[in-house]
Amino acid sequence: MENNTQLISQCTEKAQQWLTPAFDQETQASVRRMLENEDKTDLIECFYKELEFGTGGLRGIMGAGSNRMNIYTVGMATQGFANYLKKNFADRSDISVVVCHDCRNNSRQFAETVADIFSANGIKVYLFDDMRPTPECSFAIRHLKCQAGVNVTASHNPREYNGYKAYWEDGAQVLAPHDTGIIDEVNKVTIDDVKFSGNKELIQIIGEDIDKIYLERIKEICIDPEVIKRQKDLKIVYTPLHGTGMTMIPRSLKLWGFENIHCVEEQMVKSGDFPTVVSPNPENGEALTFALRDAKAMDADVVMASDPDADRVGMACKNDKGEWILINGNQTCLLFLYYIITNRKATGKMRDGDFIVKTIVTTEVIREIAEKQNIEMRDCYTGFKWIAREIAISEGKQQYIGGGEESYGFLAQDFVRDKDAVSACSLLAEICAYAKDKGKTLYDILMDIYAEYGFSKEFTINVVKPGKSGADEIKQMMTDFRNEPPKEIGGSKVIVCKDYQTLEQTNANGTKTKLDMPTTSNVLQWFCEDGTKISVRPSGTEPKIKFYIEIKDNSMKCSGCYDRCCSAAENKINAIKSSLKL
C-alpha cells in the first residue's frame, strides 16, 4: 500500500508539470481529469514512466502523459533526433529528412509536428502530402539523398497505438552507433527545448512525383513479364485493411499488367479505427474474413492483404481440396525466394555473387534451396534493419536478390531498405501467374518445394510472464538454458547449440566455434539430429519469452503426403513442449 501511495505521489508530481503553458488546453484538461479522478489507474499508466525512445523509435498508446504518444513526446523525440543530425552532419549546411505517416488516428498531426520541429532546427523537410507505405518512405530517403527520415506508424498494432520509426541516410532503420547516439540526445531533451514553430520555407510537400518513380522502380523487379501477359486475367482479391497499401498496391499490380484486381470495398476506406477487423494484422485469419468472402464469391486465384503501413503481406490460396487456407510467414518467404532463384536462373538473370538473406528464426528449407542451387544465403538477426545491413555491406560488390523473415516481411529489391508489401504483392501475383501458366496453383508450388527440398512446419510458442517477478523468471530461464543446455529435445539428440550472447557455437563433440554476427543478442538456438531447430529469445517489448520451433520431415515426396507430415509435426511439438517443460 505504501509503495502504491508513493507511486501515486510521484505520478501526481509529474502530471502537475503538464499543467503549465508549455502544454495545450486540451492536454491540460485531460491531465486534470486524471488528477481529480478517485481511481488513479489512468494517472499511473500515463505518468509512471517516460515513453522510451528505443532502437526502433517510439511506440505506445495515444493520449496525454509522459508514457503516451502525443505531440509532446513526439516533439521531444524529434528535437533529440534533430540535435543528433546537426552534430553528426556538422560539416553540412543542407541536412534534409523525409517525413511520412500511415492511416492511424493522429498520424497526420504527428507527422506535421515532426516536420515543424525539424524545419525549426534549420533542417529541410520533404513531407508526404498524405499517408504512404513505409517502404516508400525508405525509397524517398535514398532517392532524395536525405540524411534521415521519420515514419509515423505503429504498423499492425491495435488501433489505440501509434509510433515513430527513425531512418538513416541509407533508407534503413537506424543501427549502431547512430541508434544509441540518437537515444542519448533524446534523453537530454526537456519540453522547453522543443522548437515547435516550424519554418514553412523549409518544408516541401511531396507525393505523386515520388509515387511515379517508386512504382516504375518496383516494376523493374518483374522477372517474367511474358507469363503475366498470358495470365493477365488472374483473379486477385486485395485488401489494405484500411491502410496505406490502398495508395500503391492496386496501382502497382495494374502497372505490372494484371487486369482483374478486386479490392475489398469496405476496407478500401482510410481509417485509423480499423472498423471491420478486430486487429489489422494480416497474420490473423480474422483480418482476411472480408477478402475470403469476396474470393469465394468470385472464385479468385489468390487473396493478398497488407498491414496498415504496407510493409508486410498476408496471403491465402486454395488447397488441393478447393478450400481456402492461409499461407504463413515462413511459407511466404519460402515461395518468394524459391521463385526468385528458380526463375532468375530460367530467364538468364542470375549472376555470380547474387545472394539472399533470411533471419535466424526463419525456415531452414531456404538454406536447402540455396545450397542445392549454389546461391549464397546469409543469416541475420530478426528485424529488417539487419537485412538492410547485409545489402549495405555488399553494395557495389554483390547483388542482393531477395530476403525475408517469418513475420510476413519480404524485400525483393535493393533500392528500398525496409520490408515492402508493394513489391511483395506484385511479385506474389507474378508467382501465381507462373503457377497458373503451368496448370498449377500457389498451393501446388508450395507442395513442389516441400517434395523437392523437404517438408517443414513451424510453431511459435509465447510463454507470458507478467510483472517484475515475470521478468526475473524469464531471465532465470535463459540462465538455466545456458548453464544446462538440453542434450535431447523431443526424443532427438541436440547436435549444435548456438548462443548469440557469447557468439559461440557448441558442437555435439564439445568443440566450439565462433559465430560471425555483427553484435550480440540474447538468443539461443538448438539444432537436433532429426532436423528440428528451436530458437529461444525474450521479447524486447513484452513480458514474454518466445520459442520458435521448426520441425523437418524429408519423407514427403508428393502433395498427398502433406497432411500426414503436418499431423506428425503436431505430435512432435507435444514431445518438444514436454522436453522443454513448456
Side-chain angles (χ1 to χ4, degrees):
M1 185 67 185
E2 189 180 327
N3 287 344
N4 197 38
T5 305
Q6 190 178 0
L7 182 61
I8 291 170
S9 174
Q10 288 169 355
C11 291
T12 299
E13 188 180 339
K14 195 187 284 188
Q16 284 167 344
Q17 294 168 15
W18 283 58
L19 299 176
T20 64
F23 300 90
D24 62 46
Q25 291 300 316
E26 189 181 344
T27 299
Q28 290 185 48
S30 181
V31 173
R32 273 197 197 89
R33 282 194 294 273
M34 291 184 221
L35 287 166
E36 291 165 4
N37 195 336
E38 284 184 26
D39 182 349
K40 299 300 181 186
T41 305
D42 283 350
L43 179 72
I44 292 168
E45 284 297 317
C46 293
F47 285 100
Y48 83 98
K49 65 172 185 173
E50 308 295 320
L51 186 64
E52 186 181 356
F53 191 97
T55 53
L58 293 172
R59 188 165 295 185
I61 294 169
M62 291 176 277
S66 61
N67 188 37
R68 291 289 183 262
M69 279 288 294
N70 50 63
I71 60 169
Y72 304 105
T73 51
V74 165
M76 287 187 281
T78 306
Q79 185 62 53
F81 196 0
N83 293 348
Y84 183 77
L85 286 172
K86 290 170 82 172
K87 276 187 180 179
N88 194 77
F89 297 103
D91 56 333
R92 298 191 65 136
S93 59
D94 60 343
I95 302 171
S96 62
V97 297
V98 168
V99 178
C100 184
H101 66 88
D102 68 6
C103 64
R104 287 176 180 268
N105 296 329
N106 299 314
S107 282
R108 184 68 192 178
Q109 182 193 19
F110 292 161
E112 289 175 345
T113 300
V114 170
D116 282 342
I117 293 165
F118 276 131
S119 68
N121 282 274
I123 294 170
K124 166 84 173 178
V125 180
Y126 295 97
L127 173 65
F128 273 99
D129 57 5
D130 203 335
M131 67 173 187
R132 287 299 190 284
T134 284
E136 192 172 357
C137 178
S138 172
F139 173 79
I141 293 165
R142 294 176 61 81
H143 177 72
L144 295 167
K145 296 180 171 55
C146 294
Q147 283 63 59
V150 168
N151 191 23
V152 177
T153 177
S155 190
H156 55 282
N157 276 58
R159 57 179 63 86
E160 59 268 24
Y161 282 79
N162 215 321
Y164 179 112
K165 288 182 181 176
Y167 289 81
W168 202 242
E169 61 184 336
D170 61 347
Q173 288 188 57
V174 288
L175 281 170
H178 306 301
D179 52 0
T180 51
I182 295 166
I183 291 166
D184 289 346
E185 288 297 328
V186 170
N187 290 339
K188 293 176 191 172
V189 174
T190 66
I191 193 65
D192 294 326
D193 299 324
V194 184
K195 299 175 182 176
F196 280 106
S197 299
N199 177 356
K200 299 305 178 189
E201 289 181 10
L202 286 178
I203 301 174
Q204 181 177 330
I205 302 298
I206 56 173
E208 183 62 21
D209 50 338
I210 300 297
D211 296 344
K212 282 181 178 175
I213 303 164
Y214 172 61
L215 289 171
E216 285 295 338
R217 292 299 309 274
I218 295 284
K219 192 182 175 186
E220 292 170 13
I221 300 163
C222 177
I223 298 170
D224 189 353
E226 293 305 313
V227 83
I228 295 173
K229 285 178 186 173
R230 292 193 295 272
Q231 301 296 337
K232 63 184 181 182
D233 288 327
L234 183 84
K235 286 186 265 187
I236 300 166
V237 171
Y238 165 70
T239 174
L241 300 178
H242 301 285
T244 63
M246 70 177 75
T247 64
M248 291 291 124
I249 291 172
R251 285 179 68 180
S252 184
L253 289 167
K254 285 173 188 168
L255 204 58
W256 279 46
F258 294 101
E259 297 179 357
N260 196 357
I261 306 151
H262 172 82
C263 298
V264 177
E265 189 178 349
E266 299 96 326
Q267 294 173 336
M268 284 290 284
V269 177
K270 176 184 175 181
S271 174
D273 293 327
F274 310 112
T276 63
V277 293
V278 174
S279 168
N281 186 345
E283 291 181 40
N284 300 336
E286 174 274 325
L288 272 63
T289 302
F290 282 58
L292 288 169
R293 173 203 67 192
D294 291 359
K296 288 169 188 172
M298 63 183 283
D299 191 27
D301 294 299
V302 66
V303 164
M304 50 182 81
S306 54
D307 65 343
D309 65 325
D311 63 352
R312 300 185 315 136
V313 59
M315 61 180 87
C317 65
K318 283 178 282 192
N319 64 13
D320 55 351
K321 302 176 191 72
E323 302 160 338
W324 282 92
I325 59 163
L326 302 182
I327 302 292
N328 68 37
N330 278 290
Q331 293 169 329
T332 299
C333 192
L334 193 56
L335 281 161
F336 279 130
L337 290 173
Y338 168 82
Y339 179 78
I340 288 169
I341 293 169
T342 303
N343 288 280
R344 277 179 75 91
K345 281 195 163 188
T347 55
K349 293 183 178 180
M350 193 70 84
R351 299 287 180 266
D352 289 343
D354 288 359
F355 69 97
I356 61 172
V357 187
K358 76 171 188 68
T359 63
I360 57 174
V361 298
T362 304
T363 176
E364 293 299 311
V365 179
I366 292 167
R367 186 185 306 278
E368 300 288 338
I369 295 172
E371 287 177 356
K372 197 166 178 180
Q373 296 289 342
N374 200 26
I375 300 295
E376 182 187 350
M377 190 217 78
R378 301 179 189 175
D379 254 333
C380 68
Y381 287 132
T382 303
F384 249 78
K385 61 186 179 182
W386 297 110
I387 291 179
R389 178 184 176 274
E390 292 299 325
I391 302 172
I393 60 179
S394 294
E395 201 150 19
K397 294 175 280 188
Q398 286 178 263
Q399 182 62 48
Y400 166 87
I401 59 169
E405 56 188 3
E406 44 69 47
S407 54
Y408 294 72
F410 193 81
L411 178 65
Q413 72 273 21
D414 64 359
F415 54 83
V416 167
R417 298 294 165 93
D418 207 344
K419 47 192 179 284
D420 188 344
V422 182
S423 62
C425 283
S426 305
L427 189 60
L428 170 60
E430 182 180 328
I431 298 169
C432 293
Y434 159 82
K436 196 164 188 179
D437 209 47
K438 291 181 173 295
K440 295 183 175 185
T441 65
L442 195 64
Y443 177 85
D444 293 330
I445 300 296
L446 184 61
M447 294 304 109
D448 289 347
I449 296 170
Y450 285 148
E452 185 174 356
Y453 297 101
F455 166 88
S456 77
K457 190 166 179 66
E458 302 80 26
F459 303 84
T460 302
I461 298 171
N462 295 310
V463 179
V464 179
K465 302 278 185 182
K468 186 186 182 302
S469 61
D472 292 341
E473 208 175 327
I474 288 170
K475 190 176 179 182
Q476 190 59 48
M477 284 173 79
M478 292 300 285
T479 300
D480 292 345
F481 281 140
R482 285 192 166 95
N483 292 341
E484 291 186 48
K487 293 179 172 59
E488 190 179 273
I489 300 174
S492 183
K493 183 183 176 185
V494 176
I495 55 172
V496 172
C497 176
K498 295 182 180 182
D499 187 341
Y500 292 92
Q501 188 123 289
T502 60
L503 295 181
E504 206 168 60
Q505 174 175 315
T506 306
N507 304 307
N509 60 7
T511 59
K512 293 181 186 291
T513 51
K514 210 71 180 154
L515 294 171
D516 182 19
M517 298 299 275
T519 186
T520 59
S521 185
N522 191 13
V523 181
L524 286 168
Q525 283 190 315
W526 304 303
F527 295 79
C528 299
E529 219 163 29
D530 64 357
T532 297
K533 177 180 81 173
I534 297 166
S535 310
V536 190
R537 73 176 183 96
S539 169
T541 55
E542 297 170 276
K544 65 185 179 185
I545 183 168
K546 299 182 83 167
F547 293 80
Y548 303 83
I549 302 169
E550 178 177 7
I551 293 164
K552 298 286 289 295
D553 189 338
N554 291 323
S555 71
M556 181 173 161
K557 301 304 176 191
C558 66
S559 60
C561 307
Y562 181 66
D563 288 343
R564 173 183 57 76
C565 289
C566 285
S567 180
E570 295 279 357
N571 292 334
K572 178 83 177 175
I573 197 74
N574 292 327
I576 290 170
K577 283 181 181 177
S578 177
S579 294
L580 297 174
K581 299 181 173 62
L582 299 179

